[in-house]
Amino acid sequence: MDELSLWTGSLMQAIIQMSTSNNIYLLEGAEMHHPDKEGFLKMEGSKGKRYIVIKKDKMCYYNNYNDFLVGTPIHEIEMKLASVKDLGKNKLQLITFACSYMFWCDSRDDLVQWKEAMEESIAEGLSDDTVIQQMYENPANCRCADCDACNPTWASVNFCITLCKKCSGVHRYLGVTISKVRSMRMDLKIWTPPVIKLFQMIGNEVANDFWEWNLPSGEDAKPDSDADMSMRQSYIESKYKNKKWLRLHPLYDQGQEFLNQNLCKYAQTDNVKETMELLFSGGDIRCKSTKNLDPLTLAKHANQSLQTEFLLQNGANQPSPITTPKCDVRRVVQPTQNGFLHKMGRNLKDFTKRWCVLQNGKFSYFSDEKSIEAQEKIENREFSLVMEAGSHERYEHCFEIYTTLKGGGKQLLFAAEDKMEMAEWMVNIAKNICPYRAAEEVKVYGVAGYVYLKHGTAGEWERLWIQLHEKNLALFDETQGSFDTIDLRKLKGLKLFETEENNFSMAKESGAVFVLDLPGSRALYIQADMKKHTEIWFQAIDKASMEIGGRLDEQQLTHENIPIIIDKCINFISTYGLTTEGIYRLNGSHGKIKQLLEDFRLDAKAVHLKPEDYEVHDVANTLKRFFRTLSDPCLTSELHSHWIQVAGYQESQSKLEWYQYYLKQLPEVNVNTLKKLIGHLKSVADNEHENKMSKVNLGSIFGAVLMTLDKDSSNMSGYKDTTLEINLVVDFLDGYSWLFKVDDAEIEKEKKIQEALFRMKTATSQVDLHP
């Protein structure tokens, strides 16, 4: 036993000290650390999903995410000689020299992404590094221009910079009208001697000296190679799309004509750096010289091959040049966008393809890309809200624009070809109409726009920009320059009421107003310019707050981040059932349990548990049934094997340390729920002399409740696992204070609650005895 304790203690200490080691095998994922693509896929021959990871020319699959973290794959596949096929119905086949593998994806979009990642991995295994070696002759090109990652293999041809794979993905998202991304290993046709010479001449150092001239100093100013995609996207969009930090050419302040004259002048010289700075500072690539010749023609006549190549890569010979329109880059720049969207006609049935343009805070659409006169223009001040509209007949990805034009406003419905295109239009429209200080924080959303809002009945009305994403409502505070986010899972109430009075002198219509009842006795009153738009906001917020999912963190929550259904059931049983014999063991009324679960599903906030309506066994079984019908158990399927393993340990202190280690890996809502439940079950066990429910009895019930689901019942591992599940609950009960860091104040508070409940029960019993 002493030797076992020594081993477990040593292993625990090694795990705690892992973060101090630089050994690659101690990084998350070991050799597959920071993969190019990762996620769960259904795999032929396995019961559940496997965790698939692709990095460079290797692919590994694991039993679960935890196995990936510790670097223990089931198998490693060399992709060099593999091939991948799309078999339809979201099914992929990966063929290697040894065998083939079948994968099922969740959607068509998911399949396309996985297929692309596999093909890139195969290409990387077969790749030729000749171009890369030539590019690296400029030492600055050996690191990514945007995150400083080593050995980049991608490039933006028009910016003349090299990029790592992750940053290249963000550049591709910007679109070819901003950045033309190519692989230095696979796209060999584009790498002509003049293009390679451009990269050797300009490269990352010269380019960044221009694009990052005004970048603030500090560790957080620029992403590093470990940065997540959201940080990379924000930085790269600010750098290239919004031109936030570039060094303006000295001629910028003298006006467009001077920029254009000098662009024509330097196009005839070998100074490509000067041409680059003039062009990206606002010079017009199609401008004309005094001889009525454009910069590209002048460069060709002067036999300047590098100037010619640079201008060509930036769209000099294309109908729509790469460079963005001239704008005041010293301020926050409104993003521009153009392209085809499908617009719903007036009959509300047919869609028509329209060329749409977003520029300078104005959204316009034309009959086609060659039309000069817009069919309709919406100015910045006329926007009320933008919202995702779901699918409509032939088109899956639709969004709506609501304006304040005409009586009651106007509604326009557009459809995009895919989800990413729809999101890009919605985000860019929002960035054009929101307060300029909010633009950098605008991300993907469901609804966004302006409303009138006041805090409490005595507050002052103010016009605010707000946006709704999933279950978060963000309000932009212009004074602080930041968003205040409301978690709608914790919304206590929401009410819409009609008023004939126009409460707001700036609102265009009177009518509907709604109020949000928030934790901490806070109330927010909201109205939009138009009555219909107020109702849209109310419906969207109501839907977000009411919809629940299958996980604990997808429920309506208390201010303590505990699902309301669990909190109300536990409080009811603590008040009326702690001493009830057979609590949690005996059955309740099936009809009442079923109805309670449905009532909680529809609106947990509206459910009121009263002893005259429900027996304690009804509520206790409702609580158990709720846990068993989750899509993922409280202790999560992912960690199930780890919990079982630790429950079998003999040395108690080592066991508790491991329990605490895995508790930290659970979502916050799961931990808070577990703490509430275990504390409650401890109170039940403390009353064993009356309710006949010992810790072991409770463990036999809640081991399965916390660790498995109804659908898993037939796949349970048998008696051994069941025993270990019981042991785990008993361990949690015994180590409650230490595991959940329950301090003396919390223990004393719980003790007083129990004493009060006992006095209440005694008083009730005396009333029953002496009517």
Side-chain angles (χ1 to χ4, degrees):
M1 183 61 71
D2 291 340
E3 186 177 357
L4 179 61
S5 300
L6 178 62
W7 272 106
T8 54
S10 299
L11 288 171
M12 192 66 195
Q13 185 178 5
I15 289 172
I16 293 171
Q17 293 176 347
M18 278 176 67
S19 60
T20 63
S21 173
N22 293 321
N23 190 331
I24 188 173
Y25 291 99
L26 296 182
L27 295 172
E28 291 184 352
E31 287 185 308
M32 303 300 281
H33 182 62
H34 277 315
D36 299 322
K37 176 71 175 173
E38 59 183 312
F40 285 100
L41 285 178
K42 172 69 175 156
M43 194 171 173
E44 188 176 54
S46 62
K47 292 183 179 179
K49 290 185 176 181
R50 302 288 194 192
Y51 199 73
I52 314 297
V53 174
I54 298 174
K55 182 176 181 180
K56 295 184 177 178
D57 60 347
K58 290 183 181 179
M59 186 174 91
C60 296
Y61 58 91
Y62 306 78
N63 271 319
N64 51 49
Y65 178 67
N66 269 3
D67 284 355
F68 161 65
L69 293 179
V70 298
T72 55
I74 299 173
H75 187 56
E76 180 181 294
I77 301 171
E78 294 286 344
M79 300 290 279
K80 183 175 181 178
L81 300 178
S83 62
V84 60
K85 291 184 179 179
D86 179 355
L87 301 181
K89 297 183 179 180
N90 298 335
K91 187 177 181 180
L92 280 176
Q93 181 182 29
L94 180 67
I95 305 168
T96 70
F97 68 92
C99 62
S100 65
Y101 305 85
M102 296 292 186
F103 301 93
W104 283 265
C105 303
D106 292 334
S107 66
R108 183 67 191 173
D109 288 343
D110 199 30
L111 179 141
V112 170
Q113 293 175 18
W114 276 106
K115 185 172 184 286
E116 181 180 299
M118 290 179 186
E119 288 174 340
E120 288 181 359
S121 180
I122 294 167
E124 185 149 349
L126 298 170
S127 59
D128 182 353
D129 286 351
T130 303
V131 172
I132 293 177
Q133 292 169 3
Q134 292 177 289
M135 301 286 256
Y136 285 3
E137 289 181 17
N138 180 337
N141 294 340
C142 296
R143 289 182 174 271
C144 174
D146 292 332
C147 75
D148 211 34
C150 297
N151 305 319
T153 58
W154 293 78
S156 173
V157 184
N158 58 305
F159 290 141
C160 299
I161 55 173
T162 60
L163 302 165
C164 70
K165 190 169 185 176
K166 291 183 179 179
C167 289
S168 73
V170 180
H171 276 258
R172 279 199 299 270
Y173 178 76
L174 295 179
V176 294
T177 57
I178 296 177
S179 182
K180 292 170 62 177
V181 181
R182 297 291 185 270
S183 169
M184 293 190 284
R185 282 177 167 160
M186 294 176 282
D187 300 318
L188 299 181
K189 290 183 180 179
I190 197 172
W191 299 112
T192 60
V195 175
I196 293 173
K197 188 68 176 177
L198 271 177
F199 275 77
Q200 292 172 339
M201 175 187 292
I202 298 177
N204 294 355
E205 183 176 3
V206 172
N208 279 344
D209 187 52
F210 171 70
W211 290 102
E212 297 178 353
W213 181 260
N214 294 307
L215 182 69
S217 59
E219 295 182 359
D220 298 331
K222 184 174 180 176
D224 58 25
S225 58
D226 293 329
D228 60 28
M229 291 306 290
S230 61
M231 183 177 181
R232 291 175 196 267
Q233 182 173 346
S234 175
Y235 169 80
I236 290 170
E237 284 187 355
S238 296
K239 180 177 177 179
Y240 302 104
K241 192 173 184 179
N242 299 335
K243 302 182 178 181
K244 188 173 181 179
W245 304 298
L246 64 74
R247 180 182 69 247
L248 287 168
H249 193 280
L251 292 175
Y252 174 83
D253 290 326
Q254 297 185 37
Q256 187 72 50
E257 185 178 350
F258 282 90
L259 285 173
N260 294 345
Q261 287 176 2
N262 279 270
L263 183 59
C264 291
K265 172 184 173 182
Y266 280 97
Q268 303 173 69
T269 72
D270 60 0
N271 194 341
V272 181
K273 177 177 176 290
E274 190 75 13
T275 301
M276 177 189 75
E277 294 185 1
L278 285 162
L279 183 62
F280 291 123
S281 291
D284 184 356
I285 202 167
R286 294 174 174 176
C287 66
K288 302 293 185 180
S289 68
T290 53
K291 297 180 181 179
N292 201 32
L293 299 175
D294 60 30
L296 177 62
T297 304
L298 292 169
K300 289 179 177 179
H301 288 177
N303 293 319
Q304 292 295 334
S305 60
L306 296 187
Q307 291 280 13
T308 300
E309 192 63 52
F310 178 78
L311 293 168
L312 284 171
Q313 294 301 336
N314 279 282
N317 64 339
Q318 297 174 4
S320 299
I322 292 281
T323 48
T324 54
K326 179 181 178 297
C327 53
D328 188 355
V329 294
R330 291 171 294 186
R331 303 188 309 173
V332 175
V333 178
Q334 294 173 322
T336 61
Q337 186 171 352
N338 57 58
F340 282 106
L341 289 172
H342 303 276
K343 179 185 176 295
M344 177 177 276
R346 294 180 180 178
N347 60 4
L348 302 182
K349 291 183 179 180
D350 300 325
F351 281 87
T352 309
K353 199 173 184 180
R354 291 288 179 255
W355 179 256
C356 299
V357 177
L358 177 66
Q359 186 175 357
N360 299 327
K362 183 190 301 181
F363 179 84
S364 311
Y365 61 88
F366 303 77
S367 58
D368 55 56
E369 70 271 35
K370 297 180 181 179
S371 298
I372 299 175
E373 186 175 349
Q375 293 188 336
E376 186 168 0
K377 296 179 181 179
I378 306 172
E379 301 286 346
N380 184 306
R381 65 182 182 277
E382 296 166 345
F383 281 92
S384 178
L385 65 91
V386 183
M387 69 179 294
E388 186 175 351
S391 59
H392 192 281
E393 294 182 356
R394 292 178 297 147
Y395 299 102
E396 185 178 354
H397 308 288
C398 301
F399 67 96
E400 292 176 300
I401 297 173
Y402 288 84
T403 74
T404 56
L405 294 168
K406 302 180 181 180
K410 189 172 183 180
Q411 173 186 356
L412 301 170
L413 177 67
F414 293 92
E417 294 294 341
D418 55 53
K419 187 174 183 179
M420 181 174 289
E421 183 185 27
M422 179 193 72
E424 185 178 11
W425 274 105
M426 289 178 65
V427 168
N428 284 338
I429 290 172
K431 287 185 175 184
N432 269 262
I433 61 178
C434 71
Y436 77 92
R437 296 177 70 188
E440 290 189 6
E441 300 299 323
V442 172
K443 308 297 181 186
V444 176
Y445 59 87
V447 192
Y450 285 100
V451 298
Y452 297 97
L453 178 147
K454 71 173 180 176
H455 295 266
T457 55
E460 294 290 331
W461 289 99
E462 55 182 330
R463 190 169 185 256
L464 282 185
W465 173 264
I466 68 174
Q467 54 195 50
L468 175 65
H469 177 57
E470 295 179 348
K471 293 185 178 295
N472 292 313
L473 180 66
L475 320 175
F476 185 71
D477 185 337
E478 293 203 46
T479 304
Q480 299 295 327
S482 61
F483 280 99
D484 177 24
T485 302
I486 297 170
D487 186 347
L488 295 177
R489 295 175 301 175
K490 302 177 184 178
L491 190 66
K492 295 171 65 179
L494 181 67
K495 183 179 180 182
L496 177 73
F497 54 92
E498 298 287 333
T499 175
E500 295 300 324
E501 300 178 5
N502 189 344
N503 294 297
F504 329 106
S505 58
M506 293 182 290
K508 298 184 183 299
E509 283 186 356
S510 60
V513 179
F514 63 92
V515 59
L516 285 73
D517 185 8
L518 304 174
S521 301
R522 294 172 58 204
L524 290 181
Y525 291 81
I526 294 178
Q527 184 189 35
D529 264 316
M530 301 296 184
K531 179 181 177 181
K532 180 180 179 181
H533 303 171
T534 303
E535 293 169 348
I536 289 172
W537 273 110
F538 172 80
Q539 292 164 5
I541 293 173
D542 185 52
K543 181 180 179 182
S545 67
M546 297 290 286
E547 280 187 340
I548 62 172
R551 301 195 313 266
L552 282 174
D553 60 0
E554 294 176 333
Q555 311 300 311
Q556 292 176 315
L557 303 178
T558 69
H559 68 281
E560 296 176 321
N561 272 344
I562 297 170
I564 292 175
I565 179 174
I566 294 173
D567 188 67
K568 287 188 174 183
C569 287
I570 286 177
N571 291 343
F572 181 88
I573 296 166
S574 295
T575 304
Y576 303 107
L578 280 183
T579 59
T580 300
E581 185 172 343
I583 186 66
Y584 290 118
R585 177 170 53 83
L586 299 179
N587 294 328
S589 166
H590 176 74
K592 288 188 175 182
I593 294 167
K594 183 178 179 181
Q595 187 59 51
L596 258 183
L597 284 170
E598 179 63 14
D599 291 344
F600 274 117
R601 187 189 67 80
L602 292 174
D603 186 5
K605 299 186 295 290
V607 176
H608 300 286
L609 300 176
K610 300 177 182 179
E612 56 266 31
D613 298 329
Y614 302 101
E615 298 290 336
V616 291
H617 296 303
D618 299 333
V619 178
N621 281 274
T622 298
L623 180 63
K624 290 192 299 180
R625 175 56 52 198
F626 168 74
F627 274 111
R628 294 300 294 268
T629 53
L630 291 170
S631 61
D632 195 33
C634 183
L635 292 175
T636 72
S637 301
E638 186 179 340
L639 295 177
H640 181 273
S641 60
H642 297 287
W643 293 118
I644 292 296
Q645 182 181 7
V646 176
Y649 293 169
Q650 299 300 313
E651 204 278 315
S652 59
Q653 186 56 39
S654 175
K655 183 188 292 191
L656 288 176
E657 288 174 351
W658 276 105
Y659 281 145
Q660 194 171 75
Y661 173 77
Y662 287 118
L663 281 172
K664 291 178 181 177
Q665 297 186 40
L666 292 175
E668 180 185 1
V669 173
N670 294 47
V671 175
N672 293 342
T673 298
L674 199 59
K675 180 179 179 180
K676 175 89 174 181
L677 178 65
I678 297 300
H680 165 67
L681 295 180
K682 190 174 183 302
S683 298
V684 173
D686 289 343
N687 288 277
E688 178 188 357
H689 59 287
E690 292 186 74
N691 59 38
K692 305 297 188 284
M693 293 300 293
S694 65
K695 292 178 181 177
V696 174
N697 293 147
L698 293 169
S700 66
I701 295 168
F702 280 91
V705 166
L706 294 174
M707 299 188 71
T708 59
L709 308 171
D710 276 352
K711 61 184 178 182
D712 299 329
S713 298
S714 60
N715 299 321
M716 292 175 65
S717 301
Y719 176 76
K720 183 178 178 181
D721 277 9
T722 302
T723 302
L724 293 174
E725 289 172 353
I726 296 171
N727 291 347
L728 179 139
V729 175
V730 173
D731 292 338
F732 276 12
L733 290 169
D734 289 336
Y736 170 68
S737 298
W738 190 85
L739 285 173
F740 297 100
K741 297 180 172 57
V742 181
D743 56 27
D744 293 340
E746 285 185 84
I747 294 174
E748 186 62 28
K749 178 182 176 181
E750 183 62 28
K751 182 179 178 182
K752 289 181 178 179
I753 291 173
Q754 296 303 320
E755 289 174 351
L757 291 173
F758 178 77
R759 288 195 298 269
M760 183 175 70
K761 178 187 174 184
T762 303
T764 303
S765 299
Q766 290 174 350
V767 170
D768 292 339
L769 290 171
H770 305 286

